[in-house]
Amino acid sequence: MIQLAIISDIHANLIALDAVLTDIKNKGLTQIYCLGDLVDFAPWGNEVIDRIQEKNIPCLLGNHDQRIAFDEAIIPLPHHDVIETSNREIAIKLSKKEISAPHKKWLATLPYTIELTFKLGMSFRKILLVHASLQSNDEYIHESTQKCALSTQLKQ
Protein backbone atom coordinates (compact mmCIF):
# COMPACT_ATOMS: atom_id res chain seq x y z
CA MET A 1 0.00 0.00 0.00
CA ILE A 2 1.27 3.46 -0.95
CA GLN A 3 1.04 6.08 1.75
CA LEU A 4 2.02 9.64 1.08
CA ALA A 5 1.08 13.10 2.25
CA ILE A 6 0.10 15.88 -0.11
CA ILE A 7 0.02 19.41 1.28
CA SER A 8 -0.86 22.67 -0.40
CA ASP A 9 -1.73 26.34 0.00
CA ILE A 10 0.34 27.04 3.09
CA HIS A 11 0.30 30.79 2.33
CA ALA A 12 3.21 31.61 4.66
CA ASN A 13 1.51 30.14 7.74
CA LEU A 14 4.49 28.55 9.49
CA ILE A 15 2.48 27.60 12.57
CA ALA A 16 -0.01 25.60 10.49
CA LEU A 17 2.77 24.03 8.40
CA ASP A 18 4.62 22.85 11.51
CA ALA A 19 1.40 21.38 12.93
CA VAL A 20 0.72 19.50 9.69
CA LEU A 21 4.31 18.24 9.47
CA THR A 22 4.08 16.98 13.06
CA ASP A 23 0.82 15.18 12.25
CA ILE A 24 2.38 13.63 9.13
CA LYS A 25 5.37 12.45 11.19
CA ASN A 26 3.09 11.03 13.90
CA LYS A 27 1.25 9.04 11.22
CA GLY A 28 4.55 7.58 10.01
CA LEU A 29 4.31 9.05 6.52
CA THR A 30 7.67 9.66 4.90
CA GLN A 31 6.73 10.76 1.37
CA ILE A 32 5.50 14.35 1.33
CA TYR A 33 4.68 16.48 -1.72
CA CYS A 34 3.60 20.12 -1.78
CA LEU A 35 1.29 21.47 -4.48
CA GLY A 36 2.49 25.05 -4.04
CA ASP A 37 1.35 28.41 -2.72
CA LEU A 38 4.00 28.65 -0.04
CA VAL A 39 3.80 32.45 0.17
CA ASP A 40 1.36 35.35 0.62
CA PHE A 41 -1.03 36.33 3.39
CA ALA A 42 0.59 35.13 6.65
CA PRO A 43 3.89 36.77 7.70
CA TRP A 44 6.30 33.80 7.55
CA GLY A 45 6.95 33.34 3.82
CA ASN A 46 10.74 33.08 4.12
CA GLU A 47 10.46 30.70 7.07
CA VAL A 48 7.97 28.47 5.25
CA ILE A 49 10.30 28.25 2.26
CA ASP A 50 13.19 27.42 4.61
CA ARG A 51 11.16 24.64 6.25
CA ILE A 52 10.17 23.10 2.90
CA GLN A 53 13.81 23.22 1.81
CA GLU A 54 15.08 21.78 5.13
CA LYS A 55 12.68 18.84 4.82
CA ASN A 56 13.52 18.34 1.11
CA ILE A 57 9.82 18.32 0.26
CA PRO A 58 9.28 18.30 -3.51
CA CYS A 59 7.13 21.32 -4.31
CA LEU A 60 5.22 22.72 -7.26
CA LEU A 61 4.98 26.36 -8.24
CA GLY A 62 1.64 27.73 -7.07
CA ASN A 63 0.03 30.82 -8.55
CA HIS A 64 1.00 32.91 -5.50
CA ASP A 65 4.59 31.63 -5.66
CA GLN A 66 4.65 32.48 -9.36
CA ARG A 67 3.43 36.03 -8.73
CA ILE A 68 6.21 36.60 -6.18
CA ALA A 69 9.00 34.78 -8.06
CA PHE A 70 8.37 36.62 -11.32
CA ASP A 71 7.03 39.90 -9.85
CA GLU A 72 3.77 39.53 -11.76
CA ALA A 73 1.03 42.13 -11.55
CA ILE A 74 -1.74 41.78 -8.99
CA ILE A 75 -4.93 41.11 -10.91
CA PRO A 76 -8.23 41.73 -9.10
CA LEU A 77 -10.40 38.65 -8.95
CA PRO A 78 -14.11 38.92 -9.76
CA HIS A 79 -15.22 36.83 -6.77
CA HIS A 80 -13.56 39.20 -4.25
CA ASP A 81 -15.35 42.22 -2.85
CA VAL A 82 -13.66 45.63 -2.48
CA ILE A 83 -12.40 44.99 1.07
CA GLU A 84 -10.99 41.56 0.22
CA THR A 85 -9.34 42.96 -2.91
CA SER A 86 -7.72 45.75 -0.90
CA ASN A 87 -6.46 43.37 1.81
CA ARG A 88 -5.19 40.94 -0.84
CA GLU A 89 -3.18 43.71 -2.53
CA ILE A 90 -1.64 44.74 0.80
CA ALA A 91 -0.63 41.15 1.57
CA ILE A 92 0.83 40.47 -1.87
CA LYS A 93 2.78 43.74 -1.91
CA LEU A 94 4.21 42.89 1.50
CA SER A 95 5.24 39.43 0.26
CA LYS A 96 6.91 40.94 -2.81
CA LYS A 97 8.89 43.20 -0.48
CA GLU A 98 9.69 40.70 2.28
CA ILE A 99 10.49 37.46 0.43
CA SER A 100 14.28 37.34 0.05
CA ALA A 101 15.94 37.36 -3.37
CA PRO A 102 17.36 33.82 -2.91
CA HIS A 103 13.90 32.56 -2.00
CA LYS A 104 12.35 34.27 -5.04
CA LYS A 105 15.04 32.67 -7.20
CA TRP A 106 14.29 29.25 -5.69
CA LEU A 107 10.53 29.68 -6.20
CA ALA A 108 11.21 30.45 -9.86
CA THR A 109 12.82 27.02 -10.27
CA LEU A 110 9.80 25.04 -9.08
CA PRO A 111 8.05 22.84 -11.64
CA TYR A 112 4.41 23.12 -12.72
CA THR A 113 3.84 19.36 -12.51
CA ILE A 114 5.27 16.31 -10.77
CA GLU A 115 4.49 12.83 -12.08
CA LEU A 116 4.71 9.89 -9.67
CA THR A 117 4.76 6.29 -10.85
CA PHE A 118 4.07 3.41 -8.46
CA LYS A 119 4.13 -0.31 -9.05
CA LEU A 120 1.08 -2.01 -7.60
CA GLY A 121 1.17 -5.75 -8.06
CA MET A 122 1.93 -6.38 -11.71
CA SER A 123 0.87 -2.96 -12.99
CA PHE A 124 2.04 0.64 -12.76
CA ARG A 125 -0.09 3.54 -11.58
CA LYS A 126 0.67 7.16 -12.34
CA ILE A 127 -0.34 10.21 -10.36
CA LEU A 128 0.06 13.67 -11.87
CA LEU A 129 0.39 16.44 -9.28
CA VAL A 130 -0.60 19.98 -10.31
CA HIS A 131 -1.40 23.16 -8.42
CA ALA A 132 -4.44 24.14 -10.47
CA SER A 133 -5.09 22.85 -13.98
CA LEU A 134 -2.82 21.81 -16.80
CA GLN A 135 -3.90 24.94 -18.68
CA SER A 136 -3.22 27.59 -16.05
CA ASN A 137 -1.85 27.95 -12.55
CA ASP A 138 -4.81 30.24 -11.86
CA GLU A 139 -7.60 27.97 -13.14
CA TYR A 140 -9.81 26.48 -10.46
CA ILE A 141 -10.94 22.88 -10.78
CA HIS A 142 -14.14 22.19 -8.88
CA GLU A 143 -16.05 19.05 -8.06
CA SER A 144 -18.49 20.14 -10.76
CA THR A 145 -15.74 20.29 -13.43
CA GLN A 146 -16.57 17.73 -16.08
CA LYS A 147 -14.14 14.81 -16.15
CA CYS A 148 -14.01 15.01 -19.95
CA ALA A 149 -12.55 18.53 -19.62
CA LEU A 150 -9.71 17.13 -17.50
CA SER A 151 -9.14 14.24 -19.91
CA THR A 152 -8.85 16.71 -22.79
CA GLN A 153 -6.13 18.59 -20.91
CA LEU A 154 -4.12 15.40 -20.44
CA LYS A 155 -4.25 14.56 -24.16
CA GLN A 156 -2.85 17.92 -25.25
Side-chain angles (χ1 to χ4, degrees):
M1 177 153 93
I2 299 166
Q3 293 187 329
L4 53 96
I6 297 176
I7 60 176
S8 184
D9 293 85
I10 297 157
H11 290 291
N13 189 336
L14 184 63
I15 296 166
L17 174 60
D18 283 342
V20 168
L21 291 175
T22 297
D23 187 54
I24 289 168
K25 182 179 178 183
N26 290 341
K27 289 183 164 104
L29 302 175
T30 57
Q31 292 187 62
I32 307 170
Y33 296 89
C34 179
L35 302 183
D37 277 359
L38 299 175
V39 299
D40 278 349
F41 305 132
W44 302 288
N46 288 304
E47 295 82 356
V48 163
I49 293 169
D50 286 338
R51 186 78 80 245
I52 294 293
Q53 290 174 329
E54 288 165 13
K55 302 284 185 184
N56 291 317
I57 298 171
C59 189
L60 295 176
L61 182 73
N63 57 315
H64 289 262
D65 307 321
Q66 181 175 318
R67 185 173 16 259
I68 299 306
F70 300 107
D71 195 26
E72 294 178 352
I74 303 168
I75 299 168
L77 301 174
H79 59 275
H80 290 166
D81 64 21
V82 175
I83 294 171
E84 189 171 8
T85 296
S86 175
N87 289 334
R88 182 175 168 266
E89 286 179 13
I90 291 167
I92 293 169
K93 285 178 182 176
L94 183 63
S95 290
K96 285 183 174 195
K97 178 182 164 201
E98 296 294 324
I99 300 298
S100 71
H103 285 146
K104 288 178 183 178
K105 186 175 181 179
W106 180 80
L107 288 172
T109 69
L110 296 177
Y112 284 91
T113 65
I114 296 174
E115 184 177 296
L116 307 175
T117 305
F118 297 97
K119 186 171 184 183
L120 296 172
M122 298 303 292
S123 62
F124 291 93
R125 298 286 185 241
K126 291 184 178 186
I127 300 172
L128 182 64
L129 303 178
V130 297
H131 177 73
S133 79
L134 293 174
Q135 303 302 314
S136 168
N137 234 2
D138 288 312
E139 182 179 6
Y140 288 85
I141 303 295
H142 300 280
E143 188 176 359
S144 61
T145 302
Q146 297 295 316
K147 288 182 184 178
C148 64
L150 298 175
S151 298
T152 302
Q153 288 184 16
L154 287 173
K155 291 176 187 172
Q156 295 177 353

